[in-house]
Amino acid sequence: MAEPKKSKNKYERIELDNDFDANNHYYPRVINATIHPLVLHFLNLGNKRIINRYCHLHPMVDPKHLAHILEYQPRWFAWAGADLFHVTTAEGTRRMVVIETNSCPSGQKSMPLIAESQEQNGYRLLLEKTAKVKINAKTNKEDGALAVIYDKNYMEASGYAQTLCDVMEEPVHLVSFYLNDPKQIVRFTDDGWMEVNTGDDAWVRVRAAFRYVTQKPWNRLPIASKTLIINPVLSCLAGGRNKLMAAKAYEIFNAEVEEMNLQIHTPETIRDVRKAEIPLWVERFGGNAVVKVPYGNAGQGVYTITNQGELDEFMAEDASYDQYIVQSLIGNYNWSSKTSAGQFYHVGTIANKKNQIYVADLRMMISAGTGGWEPLIIYGRKSHKPLVRNLQECRAPPPPAASLLFLCIACIVRFLFLSLSLSFFLSFLLLFFCFIALVLVSRLLFVLSSPFSFFSVHPPSIYCLLQRSFF
């Protein structure tokens, strides 16, 4: 009989006398890092100067239209993040492309201090400008307590809890809320209030909760509740974690602002694609494309297709969704998708001493306050491996024939050694199979000598399997 699954849920109560320890809420390398002067200047510009600069570079845009957009007061989606690529075409057309929008973005732990005297940094900016305003306007203190709920990224979730305690000047419940956990310590009453279990089956009503629940939050959180949730799950369904809805939202928004000469640039996106139709759209993009499931983020449910083998592997998987999204792939010029707007590829970084160029993206987090949308944090990230001109450069080289022959001989010796402890009959059978294996390997060596060897296209999986089995 299988043992019952243990609960991973945790509960903490953050008190007013607790201190915000930067070592617990930032990466070690960030604590002593210095913010780039250009980023610092941008974050201190303010919306008026940002609008002025943008309209100077884009004279066809009316500043009033742009100000109207930035002053918008959202009802649900008050805190967001986005990942952007800096791309170009061979003709020199450059643009920033939005890759993904997130309704529970991470990034506070990666952002250097904007002001040395304020170690709570972006945590405090977000909670003061957005959360505190909404909590004071829409809740009463006698209706319940405050909470931060999370299912990942404890480093940032605990940072938000400690900062919320300082900003609101009252204790905060820090509660984990994992998917499919056998013992949930967060529940919703029939009349729509959130409650948290503080221990010994004691439940406390929550009037407002800051949410860092990212894994399918709609499975645990109601669309509407009496407890104020920042951000509510509706923001996820509207596009924060629904790639299909996000693609539609971009199209609708671009249609509305087209006359204003504004546009959100995204990879060319084909939505509502059935699985059987995916090979046709991959071919339409020149054989290179990205396939995404409607729900998911942080690289989950994303399939990069650059050859027939990767496409076949994806098509062989069990279909978990009825419809998918197919997007153009942005890589090096030689293996980026061909789209109706052109072939966009990464600008990348300046080459290092080894003459290697890397992919870099930009993570930006914004929030809506009384003055409208404002930037909170912005930082860049670099890929671990360099950007290659040809995808064959990053694939495993074919194993030399001598190595395969040595590996085969070693396998036979290993079999003979094992057979010494068996009867003569079993030893004979083992030798017979070794002989058959030697014949097959000789055929394999013949294939390897061909210029059309499959090892020149696919990684040497057979070689690696033999090596793991006998060494």
Side-chain angles (χ1 to χ4, degrees), residues 338-397:
K338 299 175 181 178
T339 70
S340 56
Q343 189 173 9
F344 288 91
Y345 58 94
H346 283 284
V347 172
T349 63
I350 299 296
N352 61 12
K353 293 181 179 179
K354 295 182 179 180
N355 204 30
Q356 296 172 325
I357 295 175
Y358 289 80
V359 172
D361 79 334
L362 203 64
R363 164 62 64 89
M364 177 174 280
M365 188 187 300
I366 62 175
S367 70
T370 55
W373 289 101
E374 296 180 358
L376 286 175
I377 66 170
I378 178 172
Y379 63 91
R381 298 174 295 189
K382 188 184 76 171
S383 61
H384 292 293
K385 295 183 179 180
L387 182 65
V388 295
R389 289 180 177 270
N390 192 321
L391 288 177
Q392 299 299 330
E393 298 176 18
C394 63
R395 293 192 174 121

Side-chain angles (χ1 to χ4, degrees), residues 304-334:
T304 303
I305 308 297
T306 60
N307 57 52
Q308 187 62 41
E310 291 174 345
L311 179 59
D312 293 340
E313 184 178 350
F314 168 76
M315 297 300 293
E317 291 187 5
D318 294 333
S320 54
Y321 293 91
D322 295 331
Q323 295 178 329
Y324 293 81
I325 296 170
V326 182
Q327 286 185 328
S328 57
L329 174 65
I330 299 174
N332 181 272
Y333 173 79
N334 295 324

